[in-house]
Amino acid sequence: MDDRTDAVEESRQKNLEARVWLRMLACSNLIENELRERLRTGFDTTLARFDVIAQLARPPEEPTMGELSQRLMVTKGSITDVIGRLETAGLVERRRDADDARVQRVRLTARGKRLAARTIPAHNERLAQLMRGFGRDDLKALDALLGRLRAALRAANDS
């Protein structure tokens, strides 16, 4: 029985990176699915639209389409599609940059600002509810660890 227990533990240690990745992915999927459903039922919007609105509601104001795609880590084509839909809905508007007419800047309309004022606090409150099982110290520690992981991953991708 000890040999079996040792083998299981050895296997768990060998696959630790894969297990951590799968747990992070599972947690991300669980949270994302919950938030997606809340936005759909509570605000008749999608997570992609919310993400853009939330980015536009924070500084710096009037980012370019390229800056938005970088912030959200999506392609410029994806941003163009979402912005087009938000523009049709009257939630955002695009304007040419004063210094470079090739560049489009995006901003929330008054209607978009009202939607942001309702959705962002509800979104943040739901996240807080989902993570209530963790104390502030646990969340700070997890934040620090994930920050280190992100930095290590960026460094590995840059090399």
Side-chain angles (χ1 to χ4, degrees), residues 45-121:
T45 194
T46 66
L47 187 55
R49 289 180 185 190
F50 169 79
D51 286 342
V52 170
I53 288 168
Q55 285 298 318
L56 292 172
R58 61 174 259 226
E61 291 184 8
E62 297 190 29
T64 66
M65 297 284 280
E67 289 167 346
L68 271 177
S69 71
Q70 286 178 337
R71 282 191 204 173
L72 294 167
M73 295 183 286
V74 298
T75 65
K76 289 180 184 176
S78 294
I79 282 296
T80 300
D81 181 56
V82 175
I83 292 296
R85 292 173 192 268
L86 289 170
E87 197 171 34
T88 299
L91 298 169
V92 304
E93 59 186 19
R94 288 184 261 200
R95 293 189 299 148
R96 294 280 175 206
D97 184 86
D99 298 325
D100 187 345
R102 296 170 298 176
V103 175
Q104 291 185 341
R105 295 201 168 269
V106 186
R107 71 178 182 171
L108 290 172
T109 62
R111 184 173 174 203
K113 288 177 183 177
R114 287 191 301 273
L115 180 61
R118 290 188 351 258
T119 56
I120 293 171

Side-chain angles (χ1 to χ4, degrees), residues 122-134 136 139:
H123 178 268
N124 292 342
E125 176 57 30
R126 187 60 187 143
L127 278 173
Q129 289 170 354
L130 291 171
M131 295 186 193
R132 278 222 170 95
F134 290 87
R136 299 307 289 171
L139 289 174

Side-chain angles (χ1 to χ4, degrees), residues 145-159:
L145 286 170
L146 291 172
R148 286 177 44 205
L149 177 59
R150 181 179 61 195
L153 293 171
R154 285 182 173 162
N157 286 335
D158 290 343
S159 58

